Each structure stands twice: as C-alpha cells, then as structure tokens.
Amino acid sequence: MKKRAYAGFVCSYTPLAVIDAAGLIPFRIFPETDSPQHAGTLLHDNVCPHVKKIIDRAMSGDIPDNMETVIFMNSCDAMRRASDAWKKAKPDQKVILLDLPQTRSGSASAFFSGELKRAAAFLAPDTQDIEAKILESQTMLNAVAKKINHLKEKNRSGKLKNGSVIIQKAYNFIASNPPGLSLEYIDNIIEEESCSNGSKTKLFLMGNMLHSPEAFQMFEDSGISITDDDICTGSRFISKFNIDEKDVFTSLADEILSKPPCARTFDSSSPGSIGVELAGRVKISGADGAIMHVMKFCDPYLSRIPIIRDEFKKQNIPLLILEGDTSLGSIGQQKTRIEAFIEMLG
Amino acid sequence: MYNFFENLEKGLKKSIDSEPDKTNARKKYSHAVAGLGKKLYTENEKIAWCGALAPFDILNAMNITTCFVEFIGAMLTSTGLGESFMKEAEDHGYPMDSCGFHRAVTGAMLKNVMPEPDFLVATTSPCVASLTVLENMARHYKKELFVLNIPQQKTKAGIDFLADQLEELTGFISLKTGKKISQDDFEISFAHTNRSRELMIEIYDLAASKPSPLNSKMMKDFGLVMGLFLGTEEGVKICEAFRDELKEKVENNIPGIKNERIRLLWLHSRFQFKNNIEKQLAENFGANIISDELNSVSWKPLDPEKPYHSIAKRMLSIPFVQDSETMVNHLKNMAEKYQVDGVINPAHWGCRQATGATGMISSGLKEIGVPVLNLDTDCVDTRNFAEGQIKTRMEAFMEMLSNSKSPWV
C-alpha cells in the first residue's frame, strides 16, 4: 500500500482538517535545520528567522521525500514572500497560498470559505464528498484538542511531571501526524504520566514560535511550569471547531477566524485589545506571570509589545519579554533573565 | 506643523508666481503637497489617516482630508525632525528593527503632534506594519478603524470581496460625516482619476525618452504620492504640469541632465532625509534616475457604473500587492520600457514587504541582463544610513555600469 503523502504547512491558521480529508498527512515545517543559511539569497536577512529557516530547509532539501504539496497562509508580509521563495527553491512542488483576512466579518468568512474550497480542490481534486470527510477529520481533531486540554488540566494541577515538555512534544506530534495517530499518542501519555511535578512557578507563555521541547525542558529545569500558552506552535494551532454539516466550509472559515488570534489578526472594533485579551487568559490559566517570546523581525508582535506591556503593568501581571530566533540556542542565552524573573516572582 | 506647511505653501506659491511663464512641475507638485499638509493640520477638516492603498478617489469625493501614514513619516524626516520622533517611539518600546516611516509617525502620535483623525482606514497591503500603526493610532485617539482586507489573488472572488468592503467603507464614511456619495460624485471623481491616469501614462512615456527629459529629483516618489490626489482637479493639474514640462523638453531636445550616460530605476522609496546622492550621481557619472518603482500605471480606467469593482481591480493590480513573480515581471517590463542600465534597491530596514523579495528581484532582473545594487540601509532613519559606505558602493556600481555594455544594445 502506498504511503500517504505529506502536505507541508507553516502557519497555525492552516486548515488541518482539509489536509486530512484530502488523504494527506500534515507536516509542519518547523524552523529547525542544520542546513546552511542561504535563504537571504532569495529573501533578505531582515525577514523573520521562521521564514528564513523554512526556506533554508527547502533550498537544502531538508524536507520529506513524499511531500509534494505545501500550503502557505497569507498571514503576514514575510509569509507571502516565503511562499514565493519556496516556489523558487522547489519549483517541482505544488504550492498554494491561501488569503487569510486579518479581521473578522461576514464578508471575510464568506471569502475565506472560498479559499478553503480552493484549498480542498487543490489538495484533493478527485475526492468525492470532501465536505463529509472534512467534517469527519475535524471531529477527530476536536477530540485531539479535547485531550490536549485534558493534559493541560493535569499539568495545571501538578499531576504531570515535566508537563510543559510533554505537552509541547504532543503538539509537535500532532503537527506532523494524522489525527487518529495523535489521539493514540495522547492517550498513551494520559495513561502513563501521572506523578507530581513538584512545586513550580506557574507561568503563561505567549508570542509566536517556540516549538523545541528542549526549550520547555529548560523552563521546567528553571522551576517553571507552563500553565497555558498563546503561541503559534502551541494552543493556537489546535482548537475545537464547531462545524455545521450543512455548510462545512463557511462554518470552518468562521471558526478559524474566530479562534484566539495571533497578533496579525485582530478585532477592528476594539483596536489594541490584544493586551486585555492576553491578560485575561493569563488570569484564567492561574499563572503568576507571563513570558512573551517574540521572534526578531516579526512586525505584528513587535508593534504590539508596548500595548501588551502597558496592559500587563496596569493589571499587575509580571511579564518577561524575550526576543529570539525560535532556536534553543537563542532561548538558552536568556536563561539568566528567566531565572532572575522567577526569583523576582518569589 | 500647520505653520511649517503654511510657510512652505506660501514660499512655493511666491516662487511659482514670480516666473509665471516657466513650467516647473515639481514646484507645483510640492505646492499641492504642502497644501495637503496644511489642510491636515487645519481645524474643522474631516481627517482620515489611511493605509497607502486606501481609495483616495472615494475619500476625496466625500470631502475627507486624508493621507497615508508613511507620508507623514517621510515629511517629518525631510524636515529633519524624523529622528526625534523615532526616538520617542523607541522610548515607548517600539523596536529599531521596525520600519522608520512607521516609527516616526508613531512618535509624532505619542508626542501629540499629529492631527487627531475623525476615523482611520487601514489596508492590509502593502504591509502588515502599516496596519498595526493604524490600529495603535485608533486606540490612541479612541477613533473608529475600518480595515480593508486586500487579498493577494486577483481572482473574481478576491475582487468581489474587496468591492464589497469598499461599498461598506462608503457607508462607514457616510455615518461618520453625514455625507453620502452619489452617482454624480463618482462620475466627477472618476473623470478626474481617469484623466490623471491618461496623463500619467503620457508622462511615463515621455520620461522614457533618450535622453530622458527628467533629472533624478523631478519625479521622486511621484507615483505613490499622486495617489493622494486621485479623483481631484488638482491631481489633473499636477499631471498636466509634468506632461507639459516633459513634452516641451522632449520636443526641444532638452535633457534632464547633461551627458546622460547611465539610466537607473529606483525601487521602493527614495532617501527622505537631505542628501546629495542624486546630484553626485549626475555630476560624477552622468547617472540619471529615470523612474521609481511606483511610477507606473498598472490599472484600467475606472468605470463609474461599477465604482467599487473598478477600484478593487485597480488595488489588486498594483504589483507589490501580488506575488513576487508578478512583481519581478513588472520590474522587468519597467527596466525594458525605460532602457535602464541598472537598478538601485535601497533595502529599507524594517520593510519585510519590499525587502522580502530582494533576492528574487535581483535574480529576476539579472535574467534580462540588468544588474541590481542592493543597499542595506534605511530610507528615513539616518542612524541606519552609513553615508560613506553607501557612496562607496554606489560609486563601484556606477563604475561597473560605465564599463558594461548596455543590456539594450
């Protein structure tokens, strides 16, 4: 039997259910590679390290052999240029860029629904009854999201040793496996892991990309337990979506646009509300403070840092802002600051 | 700022009036720009801060005084005040890695030297950074923000989506101002826009003459700033002034610079602070900037019977809205039209949209034998502008071009 092919993706707004329904396995192209740094020959060095590293991977062939398609989301300037650069680096691959509205409205949902249909036709031109299959895939993904939440709950109550690491590993597994396998993977963790995590400082993690389990191990080793997160490689990438079987594409579009937004998506009727929203999530998670890890050159976050910082100050929520390049090396350099932050929290 | 623009406007008016027979299009253009600046700082004007791709024809037809935020960043820099405003923004936590145009305008907002808008209209293209600035301004001034989501694909779905939003925008403006846009308004506004469009095509064709009737400064940033005057009689007059001046020069074989030897295309934005690079290029190398990236017309005439779809199509036809391949092909066409020997790309620090395609632009133009000089620099922040280094690199580039065969022979 022929092995299912991968569909590469790079953004947390990617419709995983459409990939699975098309009979493909999602493969998240993480910005992690030993490839030479030559993305600058297509882009520029002041583009974010996420985009540069994935293009390094494409240029060096550091991707699975059976990955014939890649989905990009038009989420920011760097990402749309990444789509162009990928086509240059891998001219034989099928690449699609889906336009993703930055604000939510009736017309935005309708338009994005069309984009999801375009994605389905691109990934699975011959698949019959694609809507039923998307519904089925999303049901599985919802079960995955539920189990992740169960793991988080266990971690928050101190019953998951090294919980931050385990949860991030689970996210990474989900990112590159079919939902059925992801369910089995998390079930195994839930059965196996149930010992105390000791007394740790509870922190909320936010920002954009941080996927390395080693980085989370460093948090744990520094006495931190991540109670919840708002990052592209964490909770923002797997959410429970309610799909209306009578209008699968529109309801999926609406749900994707309604999920907790990254900084590039916002509510235009409430400008600058990202600070209030994140502060609220920190409190709900029971954290004592928050770490914000922001990639260098990420405009959506960089220009919102002052708003977020001011709001956290107003609400007396301790906040540590780290800038990095998504690698373990860059977060490792911040260890002293992280430890000082914990000491400050007492 | 009001006084600054008023004095500038008065000075330019005096200069134009003192030589009524002399056609000096650039002075007339600068006079109009100063007039717009003054209006922005005039009390009781209805003001909207916008993204660069906002439909200025509609805004002008609805009597809104408007401009895009980068324009203010550029103006502040040209007056020498940019750095102090950028520092203000940095002191508030806006990093130096972000775009200087945006930092300058953010600093001006924080120092309360920006006129308070009545509302804001953001566009998701050309860049995400502009959108975030407008979001921050909306929050700061507690004013409503309308966001135009501009898709990259120029498909029927993309055009319909944008057209619907444009119609919604006019409703939004009506609510803010009490003025509704009528069919007559569209007819008048689009007649001006279409006339300006015809003239711009004529202007760009004349600019392509050999030798070019332009000098490097004459059409600096023209295409971008002209957008603000679309739909107005003033816009038509500015274009007529340029067309007349260039036509006269071409007919009388008057070159823009003496001994034009190197013809250049400039990408993205010129340096907005005072500098003598253009002068030195002309004097030392006979090098002339014949066109800027945005000095082109990529859209069809607007149809007042289908106003929103017409404008949506225009917005989506702008090369930098589209994918890099389309953008590079557009630049190749420009290089051929203007028969340029080389391209200068001031890879403006902080601009992911423009610099993000730097490598692809270089390799694309190389395919047709046109070399590109990529400068790692900043168009507004002099702290990121290493003058000596930039001059050395430009001189080396000019020497290389001087000793190379023209790609068009």
Side-chain angles (χ1 to χ4, degrees):
Chain A
M1 191 178 152
K2 195 184 168 192
K3 196 182 170 193
R4 282 168 72 181
Y6 285 115
F9 73 101
V10 291
C11 173
S12 62
Y13 281 94
T14 309
L16 293 185
V18 178
I19 294 176
D20 187 57
L24 300 164
I25 303 172
F27 181 86
R28 186 156 192 165
I29 309 159
F30 284 119
E32 181 179 75
T33 182
D34 294 327
S35 308
Q37 295 176 13
H38 44 195
T41 59
L42 286 173
L43 304 161
H44 187 273
D45 284 332
N46 75 357
V47 171
C48 79
H50 178 201
V51 160
K52 279 191 292 188
K53 283 184 185 174
I54 61 169
I55 296 302
D56 284 338
R57 290 188 68 165
M59 292 173 87
S60 302
D62 181 17
I63 50 173
D65 290 337
N66 56 340
M67 191 175 90
E68 291 161 7
T69 47
V70 185
I71 304 172
F72 285 91
M73 305 302 290
N74 189 356
S75 50
C76 63
D77 303 328
M79 203 50 91
R80 72 187 177 107
R81 294 296 175 232
S83 155
D84 298 332
W86 191 282
K87 286 183 204 163
K88 285 275 173 199
K90 305 295 291 178
D92 298 332
Q93 278 190 331
K94 286 166 64 187
V95 175
I96 189 170
L97 174 81
L98 300 180
D99 274 312
L100 177 70
Q102 303 212 342
T103 50
R104 191 182 164 218
S105 65
S107 61
S109 285
F111 171 74
F112 189 51
S113 158
E115 286 297 275
L116 295 177
K117 281 182 194 161
R118 194 162 68 86
F122 172 82
L123 294 172
D126 304 321
T127 304
Q128 301 295 311
D129 212 7
I130 189 76
E131 290 181 68
K133 287 184 172 148
I134 291 173
L135 191 61
E136 199 180 307
S137 297
Q138 190 57 54
T139 305
M140 295 267 274
L141 286 163
N142 286 349
V144 173
K146 193 177 172 188
K147 286 194 187 290
I148 278 279
N149 283 337
H150 179 76
L151 273 184
K152 283 187 190 169
E153 198 47 57
K154 215 169 166 181
N155 187 41
R156 274 193 286 268
S157 56
K159 291 176 185 162
L160 194 64
K161 192 174 182 188
N162 257 348
S164 316
V165 182
I166 287 167
I167 292 167
Q168 190 54 43
K169 279 184 179 172
Y171 277 132
N172 293 356
F173 188 91
I174 298 162
S176 297
N177 283 285
L181 272 184
S182 297
L183 273 176
E184 283 176 28
Y185 178 90
I186 302 170
D187 277 340
N188 287 338
I189 297 171
I190 292 171
E191 275 176 29
E192 286 171 17
E193 306 282 348
S194 61
C195 45
S196 168
N197 200 22
S199 172
K200 294 203 165 165
T201 304
K202 292 179 176 177
L203 294 179
F204 185 88
L205 178 67
M206 56 201 203
N208 33 38
M209 300 285 296
L210 192 65
H211 71 282
S212 160
E214 289 80 8
F216 287 82
Q217 187 64 60
M218 194 198 76
F219 288 142
E220 289 280 352
D221 293 346
S222 303
I224 295 169
S225 178
I226 304 295
T227 55
D228 202 354
D229 74 83
D230 185 66
I231 56 171
C232 301
T233 41
S235 68
R236 268 213 307 273
F237 134 79
I238 181 92
S239 308
K240 181 177 180 290
F241 294 154
N242 293 316
I243 306 296
D244 178 357
E245 61 184 40
K246 289 179 191 150
D247 193 351
V248 169
F249 285 108
T250 305
S251 55
L252 180 58
D254 210 28
E255 288 286 272
I256 291 176
L257 292 176
S258 307
K259 69 178 188 167
C262 90
R264 56 81 61 198
T265 310
F266 68 101
D267 177 2
S268 58
S269 67
S270 181
S273 54
I274 188 171
V276 176
E277 285 161 14
L278 286 172
R281 289 193 58 194
V282 174
K283 285 182 176 170
I284 289 170
S285 78
D288 303 316
I291 291 181
M292 184 167 186
H293 179 261
V294 182
M295 257 186 318
K296 207 167 165 56
F297 305 129
C298 175
D299 286 328
Y301 272 99
L302 293 178
S303 52
R304 287 174 175 113
I305 284 176
I307 294 175
I308 295 168
R309 189 199 54 201
D310 291 351
E311 186 61 35
F312 274 54
K313 198 172 176 184
K314 195 170 130 191
Q315 298 199 29
N316 291 320
I317 301 172
L319 172 66
L320 175 67
I321 300 173
L322 306 172
E323 194 180 72
D325 68 0
T326 81
S327 71
L328 175 64
S330 81
I331 193 97
Q333 287 169 10
Q334 314 268 14
K335 197 173 179 209
T336 312
R337 288 187 64 207
I338 294 167
E339 285 168 352
F341 181 61
I342 298 167
E343 276 173 32
M344 186 268 290
L345 288 173
Chain B
M1 287 302 285
Y2 177 87
N3 290 340
F4 168 78
F5 284 117
E6 189 184 36
N7 290 336
L8 184 63
E9 189 187 30
K10 275 183 187 167
L12 285 162
K13 178 87 171 58
K14 196 175 166 188
S15 172
I16 293 165
D17 289 347
S18 67
E19 296 174 298
D21 298 331
K22 196 175 169 186
T23 318
N24 190 328
R26 186 76 195 182
K27 272 188 190 166
K28 289 181 181 171
Y29 162 89
S30 301
H31 178 257
V33 170
L36 173 62
K38 192 175 92 173
K39 269 183 92 180
L40 287 166
Y41 284 89
T42 301
E43 276 183 34
N44 301 323
E45 288 286 328
K46 286 281 177 200
I47 307 284
W49 293 115
C50 296
L53 283 185
F56 295 108
D57 341 48
I58 291 180
L59 290 152
N60 286 325
M62 298 182 85
N63 300 327
I64 307 298
T65 301
T66 179
C67 92
F68 49 90
V69 286
E70 293 82 356
F71 172 87
I72 295 292
M75 291 298 283
L76 293 169
T77 301
S78 68
T79 59
L81 296 169
E83 193 172 314
S84 66
F85 291 117
M86 282 185 259
K87 281 181 178 164
E88 178 75 14
E90 289 151 21
D91 288 347
H92 278 77
Y94 294 92
M96 279 188 81
D97 283 334
S98 59
C99 168
F101 285 99
H102 296 140
R103 257 180 295 134
V105 81
T106 299
M109 171 192 83
L110 293 165
K111 280 191 167 181
N112 288 320
V113 296
M114 290 281 283
E116 187 171 319
D118 292 281
F119 59 91
L120 304 96
V121 181
T123 54
T124 58
S125 192
C127 65
V128 171
S130 150
L131 182 69
T132 64
V133 170
L134 284 156
E135 188 200 357
N136 286 337
M137 288 176 90
R139 179 174 178 265
H140 180 86
Y141 292 113
K142 297 185 173 54
K143 298 291 179 182
E144 280 188 63
L145 170 69
F146 191 97
V147 176
L148 281 170
N149 281 288
I150 302 176
Q152 180 172 288
Q153 272 95 26
K154 197 183 169 192
T155 56
K156 184 182 178 304
I159 293 165
D160 287 346
F161 175 42
L162 189 48
D164 286 350
Q165 295 175 73
L166 288 164
E167 191 165 0
E168 240 178 273
L169 172 65
T170 55
F172 169 82
I173 299 171
S174 294
L175 279 176
K176 298 275 120 200
T177 61
K179 176 176 167 53
K180 287 190 176 170
I181 191 161
S182 66
Q183 188 57 32
D184 279 354
D185 291 330
F186 279 126
E187 301 275 351
I188 295 165
S189 170
F190 284 14
H192 290 319
T193 295
N194 289 338
R195 180 64 189 137
S196 296
R197 177 187 171 276
E198 284 168 9
L199 289 162
M200 282 192 274
I201 291 172
E202 219 178 319
I203 290 165
Y204 299 144
D205 286 346
L206 287 163
S209 305
K210 274 189 162 181
S212 177
L214 298 179
N215 62 38
S216 294
K217 281 197 169 173
M218 192 172 170
M219 304 280 291
K220 176 184 167 185
D221 295 328
F222 174 80
L224 180 62
V225 177
M226 254 311 291
L228 293 169
F229 296 100
L230 288 178
T232 67
E233 197 178 343
E234 192 169 27
V236 174
K237 284 183 179 166
I238 294 168
C239 290
E240 281 173 347
F242 275 103
R243 192 272 317 268
D244 292 347
E245 183 172 341
L246 295 180
K247 198 172 174 189
E248 188 190 328
K249 284 185 171 174
V250 170
E251 283 172 359
N252 295 299
N253 204 21
I254 302 168
I257 64 166
K258 283 181 193 169
N259 301 321
E260 177 185 284
R261 295 190 298 278
I262 297 172
R263 293 161 68 89
L264 299 169
L265 169 64
W266 191 280
L267 303 188
H268 191 236
S269 163
R270 298 285 188 96
F271 296 123
Q272 302 297 327
F273 39 83
K274 285 188 174 51
N275 69 87
N276 58 6
I277 282 175
E278 287 110 343
K279 192 170 171 235
Q280 288 184 347
L281 285 175
E283 288 177 359
N284 300 341
F285 300 98
N288 200 5
I289 300 168
I290 310 298
S291 185
D292 289 29
E293 179 183 355
L294 299 176
N295 289 1
S296 70
V297 175
S298 55
W299 40 282
K300 291 183 178 163
L302 302 185
D303 177 359
E305 297 300 321
K306 295 175 185 167
Y308 304 113
H309 277 78
S310 271
I311 293 187
K313 283 180 189 171
R314 180 180 70 194
M315 290 166 82
L316 296 179
S317 77
I318 308 293
F320 60 59
V321 172
Q322 300 176 49
D323 64 359
S324 300
E325 191 178 347
T326 308
M327 191 168 74
V328 170
N329 286 336
H330 169 74
L331 293 175
K332 283 180 177 175
N333 290 336
M334 284 190 85
E336 187 176 359
K337 175 187 169 83
Y338 291 101
Q339 304 266 295
V340 299
D341 301 292
V343 173
I344 297 182
N345 182 12
H348 172 63
W349 190 255
C351 179
R352 317 314 156 198
Q353 181 279 128
T355 62
T358 296
M360 290 178 275
I361 290 171
S362 295
S363 58
L365 286 163
K366 197 177 169 188
E367 285 167 12
I368 58 166
V370 177
V372 180
L373 174 65
N374 291 311
L375 299 168
D376 286 327
T377 185
D378 199 300
C379 295
V380 287
D381 191 344
T382 50
R383 293 168 296 172
N384 287 334
F385 175 74
E387 189 174 4
Q389 197 182 64
I390 297 292
K391 280 186 180 165
T392 306
R393 292 203 57 209
M394 278 202 173
E395 282 167 10
F397 189 61
M398 294 307 135
E399 279 165 19
M400 187 270 285
L401 292 179
S402 301
N403 297 320
S404 307
K405 197 177 149 189
S406 164
W408 311 109
V409 175

